[in-house]
Structures are given as structure tokens and as C-alpha cells.
Amino acid sequence: MSRIGSYAITAGTLLLALLGCGGGGWSSADPITGITATNFKYGQLATLTLTGNALDNVIKLSSDKCAYVTLGAIESSSVRHATCIVAAAGPIQFTVKSSADYVVYNTTLNSPDPVTSITANNLQFGAQATLTLAGDPQNSAIQLKSDKCTNIVLDPVSTAATRTAKCTLVGAGPVSFSITSLSGATNLFQTSITATEPTSVQIYNTKYGQTTTVVYPTLGQNANLSLVATGCTELTMDAGTYPSVRTATCKVSSIGNLSFDVKNLSTNAIEQTITTSVGNPQVTFKTSLGDFVMELNPTAAPKTVNNFLAYVNQSPSFYNGTIFHRVISGFMAQGGGFTTGMNQKPEAPTGITLESQNGLLNVRGAVAMARKGPATGSPETDATKNSATSQFFVNLVDNAFLNYSSANSPGYAVFGKVVSGMDVIDLMATKATGTKNGYSDVPVTDITITSATQTQ
């Protein structure tokens, strides 16, 4: 009995020695006792923290669904980090092996589903719907698809618990939505929401200068009905492919009444009419000093307003990231043409026709277009008069000398006014200015436009 017992002890000691040798020389203590993760979200680079008693030994880390595993440098005998890209939702396995391929630790971490539900607001044929994605969608590398909702725009990542998207509905009945990987190869979530067809004429998006969508029921009379628009140009009808609904788009071109008549071509009768009111366009500017709102006057200055809105409504807006590059206390604040470092942003190659004789004056709060103007002592020419492109200025005081007085002194075209946030413009005038890259009156600290959005 004593010989057998002695042999068992010897074999046990030999086994421990072999394991220790194969594992890189660690002691009998567990080399790994836990793995935790941060930023463990689908499509993201996760950071893993390995804890244990002998992490200064040679180990290998692998995973079934976390790709590109990279084990970091040895930090200590008890802590070591690693990274990997989360390639799935749900349980993800991690395995730690010794250099001799002995499995020394196994664990499973759970990657949350990036989307657990989708709800919709204004899901109507022809309308722009707003979708709300719930779950953990913020940092996950996902895309949204649909069979009947087009022009999908998923909003930027934020810190909120939900994420929103917008799309335009081009069908009725069950509308399918799915969340997939960016490649589209992996389906992560799918749902269906029912949309109904309109029973009367509907108008979507009635902002001046923008494209509006009109939807009207045809009740099987597609060929007999036409659409007549007032206050909207460039009317384009769909191909008539929907059995009981027709859609059209046009550009809102005037202030006041916007109306659409559904006309029966057989009887020449107006079967349905819808009318709405279009107000002066407004643009909200968010800046590093605060927000302000301009109201534009397309009745007095149509060319100037249309040009300005074309810059605003680029995607992203032309003005995003530009600075107020010339600010003079007691005079005006000018922006819309330069970025940080006084780098001029590419603009239209030609300017617009000067509209300075429109009855609008350069008074405090008035917004006007900047233009090149002639050299000192030189006469005005068409090239200098009509040189305004993207740059604008806000009058800090009444500047009567900037108004039209003659052909040789045509002034600067006012096309709107600040209706909210004039205190932000006044604040700009209190900031220190200097010379940068040969330009004077440049704020020492950038006053940056972070976004410009047509909000009316």
C-alpha cells in the first residue's frame, strides 16, 4: 500500500510539472480568473481586461465571435488587456490557452442586441416618417433597411438610449424594417409596421425653397385625374404605378397660399383641394457662442434668398464648420466663407445679381450679403456689384452708408433679419480680434458655425 501511495504522489507531482512546463512555467495557481469587457457592442472595438495570478506567463486568447483578437503587452502578473472587434450579438465565447495549447480558462460574455424594437411616427404613404430604434443602437455598426420606406437617413450617434431615423414611405400595408451589419450580410433585427393609404390630399414639407410631396387617392381613376399646383413649381408626377394613390413633388416657390387641386379630366371638375400657408423661411444657426435665428424675405430679395438657402440646404450644410471671420464692434459681424486658419471654402464660381434696391435697409439686426466691391477709388462694375456668393453679415448698428444710393454706390443687399439670438451677435463683437494670414479683424478665438438648418 505504501508503494502504491508513493507512486500516486510522484505521478501527481509529475503531472503538475508537465502542466507548468506546457503553460509557460506558471505556478499551480489559476493563471486566469476572469475576463471583463468595455465597449462590448456589435461592430465596435472592445477592450478586454484579463485578471488572474500569473498573467506574465505566455498565453493565447481566442474568441468565436470577437474578431481580430490582439493581446496587449504584459502589464503585471495579475492584469493584462486585449482588444477585439465584436462581430455578433448575444453570447460570445473567449478561450485562453497556454503556449502548449492547454485550455486554462473559458468564459462567455454577452453582447447586447443593438436594436430590440422599432416604432414609427407619421408612417403615411408619401410622408417622411420618423423611426425610433430602441435597445443599444448608439455605437453599434448598423444600417437600417426597408422594403417600402426609401431615402433612409439614420441620425448620427449620440449619447441617448435610443436612435432615430427618417425615411419616405412609398407604399401602404405591412412595411418591413430590418437592422443589418454595414455589409448587409448579417441580419440583426426585423419587424413589420402597418401603414395606411390616405383618404384625402396630403402635403408633406411646406418650407419655402424646398421640395414638397403631395399624395392623393385616385380610387382607381389614375388616368382621369391630374394635379394643379399654385405656389409650387417643377411639378413632377409619379409613374402611376400605385393602384389607388398618386404622388407628386414640386418646389415651394412663393410665400402665402400653397394649394393643390385634384382635377377630373373627364368632367373638368375639381374633386379635391388642399391649401396651406407658407411663411418666410427661417434658418437656425448654432455657433460656438450660442444660437441665433434668421428670417429671410424672398418677396423682397428672391435671388438672394434662393442663393442663400441653396448653401444652407446642402447636405451637409455649406456653412457647417465655417467661422465668423470679420467682426468689428459698432459695425457688423461677417461669416460664411472661411474655416479655421482663414482657409477660404470653395464657393460658386460666379456671384448673384445684386438686389440692393428692394426696400430693405442695413439697420441693426438686418442680414445682408457680402460682396467684393471695387478697389478704393475704382468705379463699380457688374463684376463687383454681382459678386456675392456665400458670405453674409449681420449689422450690429444702423449702417445707412451700406444702403443703395446710386449706380456708382449700389450698397449691399439686405435679404433678412435676426429674429432671435441677437445677443449672440452682440457677444461676438466683444471678443478680441487681430490679423491672421493677412486678414484683419479676425476673432482671436474662432467663432464657429457648427450647423445651419432651415427650420421654417
PDB file of all heavy atoms in Angstrom, residues 13 15 38 40 50 52 108 126 194 361 380 394 451:
ATOM      1  N   THR A  13       2.836  14.791  -8.840  1.00  0.00           N
ATOM      2  CA  THR A  13       3.859  15.837  -8.931  1.00  0.00           C
ATOM      3  C   THR A  13       4.348  15.998 -10.358  1.00  0.00           C
ATOM      4  O   THR A  13       4.548  17.102 -10.858  1.00  0.00           O
ATOM      5  CB  THR A  13       5.049  15.476  -8.015  1.00  0.00           C
ATOM      6  OG1 THR A  13       4.567  15.305  -6.693  1.00  0.00           O
ATOM      7  CG2 THR A  13       6.098  16.583  -8.039  1.00  0.00           C
ATOM      8  N   LEU A  15       2.654  15.323 -13.101  1.00  0.00           N
ATOM      9  CA  LEU A  15       1.597  15.945 -13.902  1.00  0.00           C
ATOM     10  C   LEU A  15       1.601  17.460 -13.728  1.00  0.00           C
ATOM     11  O   LEU A  15       1.523  18.214 -14.691  1.00  0.00           O
ATOM     12  CB  LEU A  15       0.229  15.375 -13.506  1.00  0.00           C
ATOM     13  CG  LEU A  15      -0.989  15.961 -14.254  1.00  0.00           C
ATOM     14  CD1 LEU A  15      -0.854  15.740 -15.738  1.00  0.00           C
ATOM     15  CD2 LEU A  15      -2.267  15.352 -13.717  1.00  0.00           C
ATOM     16  N   THR A  38     -15.187  46.275 -21.924  1.00  0.00           N
ATOM     17  CA  THR A  38     -15.821  47.582 -22.076  1.00  0.00           C
ATOM     18  C   THR A  38     -16.034  47.846 -23.567  1.00  0.00           C
ATOM     19  O   THR A  38     -15.317  47.317 -24.408  1.00  0.00           O
ATOM     20  CB  THR A  38     -14.955  48.706 -21.479  1.00  0.00           C
ATOM     21  OG1 THR A  38     -13.655  48.680 -22.081  1.00  0.00           O
ATOM     22  CG2 THR A  38     -14.805  48.528 -19.973  1.00  0.00           C
ATOM     23  N   PHE A  40     -18.405  46.741 -25.313  1.00  0.00           N
ATOM     24  CA  PHE A  40     -18.676  45.434 -25.891  1.00  0.00           C
ATOM     25  C   PHE A  40     -19.982  45.507 -26.672  1.00  0.00           C
ATOM     26  O   PHE A  40     -21.021  44.996 -26.258  1.00  0.00           O
ATOM     27  CB  PHE A  40     -18.750  44.384 -24.775  1.00  0.00           C
ATOM     28  CG  PHE A  40     -18.513  42.971 -25.252  1.00  0.00           C
ATOM     29  CD1 PHE A  40     -17.307  42.619 -25.858  1.00  0.00           C
ATOM     30  CD2 PHE A  40     -19.471  41.996 -25.078  1.00  0.00           C
ATOM     31  CE1 PHE A  40     -17.082  41.326 -26.289  1.00  0.00           C
ATOM     32  CE2 PHE A  40     -19.254  40.686 -25.498  1.00  0.00           C
ATOM     33  CZ  PHE A  40     -18.053  40.359 -26.106  1.00  0.00           C
ATOM     34  N   LEU A  50      -8.094  41.045 -18.615  1.00  0.00           N
ATOM     35  CA  LEU A  50      -7.852  39.697 -18.097  1.00  0.00           C
ATOM     36  C   LEU A  50      -7.235  39.836 -16.710  1.00  0.00           C
ATOM     37  O   LEU A  50      -6.251  40.557 -16.518  1.00  0.00           O
ATOM     38  CB  LEU A  50      -6.888  38.919 -19.001  1.00  0.00           C
ATOM     39  CG  LEU A  50      -7.427  38.402 -20.347  1.00  0.00           C
ATOM     40  CD1 LEU A  50      -7.798  39.533 -21.284  1.00  0.00           C
ATOM     41  CD2 LEU A  50      -6.390  37.492 -21.001  1.00  0.00           C
ATOM     42  N   GLY A  52      -5.947  37.582 -13.108  1.00  0.00           N
ATOM     43  CA  GLY A  52      -5.504  36.259 -12.676  1.00  0.00           C
ATOM     44  C   GLY A  52      -4.299  36.349 -11.763  1.00  0.00           C
ATOM     45  O   GLY A  52      -4.032  37.394 -11.174  1.00  0.00           O
ATOM     46  N   THR A 108     -17.850  33.220 -21.169  1.00  0.00           N
ATOM     47  CA  THR A 108     -18.763  33.767 -22.176  1.00  0.00           C
ATOM     48  C   THR A 108     -19.216  35.155 -21.743  1.00  0.00           C
ATOM     49  O   THR A 108     -19.640  35.343 -20.596  1.00  0.00           O
ATOM     50  CB  THR A 108     -19.996  32.863 -22.365  1.00  0.00           C
ATOM     51  OG1 THR A 108     -19.564  31.579 -22.821  1.00  0.00           O
ATOM     52  CG2 THR A 108     -20.946  33.454 -23.395  1.00  0.00           C
ATOM     53  N   GLY A 126     -46.311  58.491 -48.731  1.00  0.00           N
ATOM     54  CA  GLY A 126     -45.813  59.753 -49.242  1.00  0.00           C
ATOM     55  C   GLY A 126     -45.181  60.651 -48.208  1.00  0.00           C
ATOM     56  O   GLY A 126     -44.535  61.636 -48.549  1.00  0.00           O
ATOM     57  N   THR A 194     -47.545  48.421 -39.915  1.00  0.00           N
ATOM     58  CA  THR A 194     -48.575  48.627 -40.930  1.00  0.00           C
ATOM     59  C   THR A 194     -48.821  50.115 -41.164  1.00  0.00           C
ATOM     60  O   THR A 194     -48.999  50.889 -40.224  1.00  0.00           O
ATOM     61  CB  THR A 194     -49.891  47.959 -40.514  1.00  0.00           C
ATOM     62  OG1 THR A 194     -49.662  46.552 -40.378  1.00  0.00           O
ATOM     63  CG2 THR A 194     -50.976  48.186 -41.556  1.00  0.00           C
ATOM     64  N   LEU A 361     -33.343  97.759 -45.541  1.00  0.00           N
ATOM     65  CA  LEU A 361     -32.232  98.625 -45.178  1.00  0.00           C
ATOM     66  C   LEU A 361     -31.254  97.941 -44.231  1.00  0.00           C
ATOM     67  O   LEU A 361     -31.622  97.010 -43.493  1.00  0.00           O
ATOM     68  CB  LEU A 361     -32.761  99.912 -44.527  1.00  0.00           C
ATOM     69  CG  LEU A 361     -33.751 100.735 -45.363  1.00  0.00           C
ATOM     70  CD1 LEU A 361     -34.235 101.942 -44.570  1.00  0.00           C
ATOM     71  CD2 LEU A 361     -33.129 101.174 -46.682  1.00  0.00           C
ATOM     72  N   GLU A 380     -17.739 101.159 -59.724  1.00  0.00           N
ATOM     73  CA  GLU A 380     -18.433  99.874 -59.658  1.00  0.00           C
ATOM     74  C   GLU A 380     -18.591  99.301 -61.062  1.00  0.00           C
ATOM     75  O   GLU A 380     -18.797 100.040 -62.032  1.00  0.00           O
ATOM     76  CB  GLU A 380     -19.815 100.037 -59.022  1.00  0.00           C
ATOM     77  CG  GLU A 380     -19.788 100.267 -57.527  1.00  0.00           C
ATOM     78  CD  GLU A 380     -19.635  98.977 -56.739  1.00  0.00           C
ATOM     79  OE1 GLU A 380     -19.415  97.915 -57.364  1.00  0.00           O
ATOM     80  OE2 GLU A 380     -19.724  99.029 -55.493  1.00  0.00           O
ATOM     81  N   VAL A 394     -24.167  90.460 -40.450  1.00  0.00           N
ATOM     82  CA  VAL A 394     -25.259  90.955 -39.613  1.00  0.00           C
ATOM     83  C   VAL A 394     -24.865  92.346 -39.125  1.00  0.00           C
ATOM     84  O   VAL A 394     -23.785  92.529 -38.554  1.00  0.00           O
ATOM     85  CB  VAL A 394     -25.532  90.034 -38.417  1.00  0.00           C
ATOM     86  CG1 VAL A 394     -26.699  90.583 -37.587  1.00  0.00           C
ATOM     87  CG2 VAL A 394     -25.824  88.610 -38.870  1.00  0.00           C
ATOM     88  N   SER A 451     -23.690  74.344 -37.098  1.00  0.00           N
ATOM     89  CA  SER A 451     -24.727  73.855 -38.008  1.00  0.00           C
ATOM     90  C   SER A 451     -25.606  75.004 -38.458  1.00  0.00           C
ATOM     91  O   SER A 451     -25.781  76.002 -37.751  1.00  0.00           O
ATOM     92  CB  SER A 451     -25.599  72.775 -37.345  1.00  0.00           C
ATOM     93  OG  SER A 451     -26.398  73.335 -36.321  1.00  0.00           O
TER      94      SER A 451
END
